[in-house]
Amino acid sequence: MKILVTNDDGILSEGLWTLVKELKEIARVTVVAPDREQSAVGTAVTLRQPIRAQKVKPAIPGVETYAVEGTPSDSVILALGKLVTGKVDLVISGINHGMNLGEDVHISGTVGAALQGYLRGFTSLAISAAYGNRQSRDIAARVAVILAKKITTDSLPAGIFLNVNLPDLPLAKIGGVRITRLASGSHINTVEEGNDGRQDYYWLVRQRADGAAERETDIWAVEQGDISITPLYLKRSGKLSLAILNNMCSDILKELRKQQ
Ligand code: MN
C-alpha cells in the first residue's frame, strides 16, 4: 500500500509525524508538505510564481520527504503530478492541530489539501484532532490506519473523501464513531481590535462552539464525545451507502477498543 501524507501545519508538525509513524507500519509513506505552517489557507493554489520543493531528511528514517515552498494544495498537486511515482492508494492530510468542523472546512488548509487528492480521483482523508491534545492525535493516527486498511481491502469504495475529527478526550471516554454532516456557521466570527503602540490592528479570532449545534452534525458529535466522520462530496462515490458507513463506524470503535 502506498500513502501520500500532507498537512497544513508544515513539515515539522508533530501531528504529521504521529500519523506517519503509525501508517509506516502498514504502508509505504511519502510525505510532501508545506515547509511552514499554512493553516487556514483553504484551497489556495500558487499559479503566479514557481514552486520549489526540496527533498529533506525525514523525522522518521526511511520516509521519502519533501518540503514544499507553497500551500497544502500545491503540495498535493506537486506530489501526485510529479514527485510520487507509482500508484498511490490513499491521500491523507493531517493530523491537524485543532479540529476542522462545520463550514470552516472551506477555509481549512488540511481539508483543502485532501480535496486536491479527491479531485484527482484518489481516496482522500482529512484528519484533525483537538488542539494541544497529544492523546487525541495518537488516537487519530490509529483511526487513520484502520480506515486505510478498510479502503485498500475494498470494504470501502474508492474515490471517497472523508473529514475526520477527534474529540478532546482520552480513548476510554470516547463514546462512539458517528457519520455526520457539516454544521452550519463559522467559528471564526470575532474581530478583536487593539493597538500595538504604533497603530491600530484587527485580529480575527476563533470562538469555540457554543453547544447549540444541530443534531447529527460534526460539531454536535465531538461535543457529545464522539469521533466525527463527515463524508464530503458524496456524489462521486456512488456505492457509498449509509449502511457501509455505519458499519465502518462500529468497526473503527471495535478496533480501537481491541488495541486499548
Ligand atoms: Mn493547521
Side-chain angles (χ1 to χ4, degrees), residues 51-249:
I51 302 168
R52 294 177 211 285
Q54 269 197 331
K55 201 165 185 178
V56 294
K57 192 169 172 250
I60 295 173
V63 179
E64 195 178 348
T65 301
Y66 297 87
V68 176
E69 219 176 295
T71 66
S73 292
D74 291 339
S75 302
V76 173
I77 295 169
L78 202 58
L80 296 174
K82 199 51 114 177
L83 301 176
V84 184
T85 49
K87 184 179 166 281
V88 172
D89 297 289
L90 185 58
V91 176
I92 308 185
S93 179
I95 295 163
N96 190 57
H97 290 204
M99 294 181 241
N100 278 304
L101 298 166
E103 286 167 343
D104 283 339
V105 299
H106 300 297
I107 62 146
S108 160
T110 306
V111 176
L115 174 67
Q116 290 301 329
Y118 167 78
L119 292 178
R120 283 160 181 72
F122 296 89
T123 295
S124 300
L125 310 175
I127 307 189
S128 307
Y131 189 82
N133 185 332
R134 178 174 297 202
Q135 228 181 344
S136 174
R137 283 206 292 275
D138 290 343
I139 305 165
R142 288 166 53 195
V143 170
V145 168
I146 296 166
L147 282 171
K149 283 185 186 159
K150 285 190 157 297
I151 284 158
T152 48
T153 55
D154 286 326
S155 60
L156 284 179
I160 58 177
F161 181 8
L162 305 176
N163 184 40
V164 182
N165 281 278
L166 278 283
D168 194 1
L169 291 171
L171 182 53
K173 293 207 169 148
I174 290 177
V177 184
R178 261 177 202 280
I179 296 300
T180 56
R181 59 188 164 82
L182 295 177
S184 52
S186 167
H187 280 164
I188 300 163
N189 51 8
T190 306
V191 181
E192 288 186 356
E193 286 180 75
N195 186 292
D196 62 8
R198 285 159 55 89
Q199 55 186 4
D200 293 337
Y201 64 78
Y202 299 102
W203 199 295
L204 309 185
V205 179
R206 191 188 282 253
Q207 294 276 310
R208 287 180 65 91
D210 57 5
E214 275 179 57
R215 288 180 66 85
E216 313 299 334
T217 60
D218 51 357
I219 294 177
W220 176 80
V222 296
E223 280 177 355
Q224 299 273 303
D226 292 334
I227 295 171
S228 165
I229 300 182
T230 313
L232 299 172
Y233 304 95
L234 264 179
K235 262 192 215 154
R236 284 207 197 170
S237 32
K239 286 188 293 178
L240 193 57
S241 69
L242 202 58
I244 291 176
L245 288 169
N246 285 329
N247 278 341
M248 173 185 82
C249 286

